[in-house]
């Protein structure tokens, strides 16, 4: 089961959280306790998926 919370972009970038829309069909690298945020580092993402690449580019440009 997945649930999510809205967060300002600044907080999402700072925490490295995975967008809920990209959480489907990802494989967990780490156990994530219930109620904790899912981070990019917690999952294996498929970089060939256009949505993943676009989000990563967006986050990179926001950090610059």
């Amino acid at each position: 089961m997945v649930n999510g919370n809205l967060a300002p972009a600044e907080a999402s970038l700072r925490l490295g959280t995975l967008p809920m829309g990209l959480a489907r069909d990802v494989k967990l690298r780490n156990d994530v306790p219930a109620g904790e945020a899912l981070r990019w580092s917690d999952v294996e993402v498929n970089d060939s998926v256009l949505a993943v690449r676009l989000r990563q580019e967006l986050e990179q440009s926001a950090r610059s």
Side-chain angles (χ1 to χ4, degrees):
M1 181 175 91
V2 175
N3 64 34
N5 294 313
L6 294 175
E10 184 179 281
S12 176
L13 290 171
R14 185 178 68 252
L15 296 171
T17 55
L18 182 72
M20 189 169 176
L22 299 179
R24 183 179 175 154
D25 296 328
V26 295
K27 185 176 179 182
L28 287 177
R29 291 181 181 165
N30 312 307
D31 289 335
V32 180
E36 292 293 317
L38 185 63
R39 293 175 171 75
W40 285 97
S41 60
D42 293 323
V43 298
E44 294 177 14
V45 292
N46 183 348
D47 292 332
S48 69
V49 174
L50 179 60
V52 170
R53 290 196 320 265
L54 290 173
R55 179 59 186 215
Q56 289 172 336
E57 287 179 25
L58 176 80
E59 290 188 8
Q60 190 72 3
S61 67
R63 289 185 182 103
S64 310

